[in-house]
Amino acid sequence: MDTNSNSAPPPGPALHLNRPVVMVGLMGAGKSRIGRELAARLNYDFVDADDEIVNAAGCSISDIFERYGEDAFRDVEMKVITRLLDGPPRIIATGGGAFMNESVRQKIAASGISIWLKADLEILVERTARRTGRPLLNKGDPKVIIEELMKQRYPVYASANIAVYSKDVPINQTVDEVEAALENFLIAGKQQKAIEQ
Ligand code: S3P
């Protein structure tokens, strides 16, 4: 008799990555939190492209937008992501607008694996309200802005290799789903769309 039938399966060996994994999605989707946790589980480094931009510029993202404008930010963002993609396999969190740049998308498609964390409006509104420093959300009602960004961006994010819903559940649950989808993608080499689009 199988006495263990109700227990969770033992964790398998950590995944072997041959390319960087790039977390994609709107502000508040959990790209950094989930990416960091995924990296810890898989025993790879985690790097946040926004943090790298801040380090390179020596000032905050809000300051970059204010002093030099969004176009300048996007230029630095592309350079930073290009450099990170040239590095060793690891988990890279990108800012929500990065994947909207076609050239960035092509570079990610050529040398990385993209994971879109899809989230509903209410969750994004609730999560983004918890921290400041996102200049795009200061231009009006964050809910209206996020809704508009969802319309513009979700069809583009949908071209990511893998898509996983980022719901209002304990983080480990979402990381489990991301890990499983990544494993399937690597093993089967197939598109993993864990959600309806
Ligand atoms: C942006 C998202 C931000 C940051 C910048 C612009 C966007 O990153 O890159 O404020 O265009 O969606 P997060 O998605 O990590 O908040």
Side-chain angles (χ1 to χ4, degrees):
M1 197 177 96
D2 178 6
T3 52
N4 288 324
S5 56
N6 286 332
S7 55
L15 291 178
H16 173 74
L17 300 179
N18 53 6
R19 295 165 274 173
V21 169
V22 184
M23 310 302 295
V24 170
L26 262 183
M27 297 172 269
K31 303 177 296 288
S32 301
R33 272 188 86 213
I34 290 164
R36 193 182 296 280
E37 190 59 37
L38 180 70
R41 275 200 199 181
L42 300 183
N43 220 359
Y44 281 90
D45 286 339
F46 169 79
V47 59
D48 190 310
D50 277 349
D51 289 346
E52 296 288 303
I53 294 168
V54 168
N55 290 341
C59 62
S60 71
I61 288 177
S62 296
D63 286 343
I64 302 173
F65 268 68
E66 204 174 303
R67 290 184 205 162
Y68 310 105
E70 181 172 349
D71 288 351
F73 171 79
R74 297 298 173 198
D75 268 4
V76 183
E77 182 175 54
M78 181 159 86
K79 287 186 184 120
V80 164
I81 292 174
T82 303
R83 174 173 63 74
L84 296 177
L85 285 168
D86 282 342
R90 55 188 156 177
I91 314 296
I92 303 170
T94 59
F99 202 70
M100 297 305 293
N101 177 323
E102 194 184 345
S103 165
V104 171
R105 268 201 312 284
Q106 281 171 0
K107 286 176 204 278
I108 294 173
S111 41
I113 301 168
S114 48
I115 302 183
W116 172 28
L117 292 178
K118 184 177 185 180
D120 289 339
L121 176 63
E122 299 302 332
I123 288 183
L124 296 171
V125 171
E126 201 257 312
R127 290 190 190 150
T128 51
R130 290 185 208 151
R131 94 163 158 81
T132 54
R134 289 181 168 118
L136 290 185
L137 299 184
N138 295 338
K139 293 179 178 171
D141 178 349
K143 185 171 183 177
V144 174
I145 295 169
I146 292 172
E147 197 169 18
E148 184 54 37
L149 288 173
M150 286 173 78
K151 281 191 205 137
Q152 292 167 13
R153 294 181 176 182
Y154 275 21
V156 178
Y157 291 159
S159 66
N161 297 120
I162 296 168
V164 172
Y165 239 119
S166 176
K167 288 174 280 196
D168 204 6
V169 296
I171 180 172
N172 273 337
Q173 206 170 310
T174 309
V175 181
D176 284 347
E177 284 179 36
V178 170
E179 194 180 349
L182 181 59
E183 185 169 6
N184 281 337
F185 179 81
L186 288 168
I187 291 169
K190 65 183 182 207
Q191 294 274 109
Q192 284 299 307
K193 304 285 175 172
I195 50 177
E196 292 295 314
Q197 282 162 27

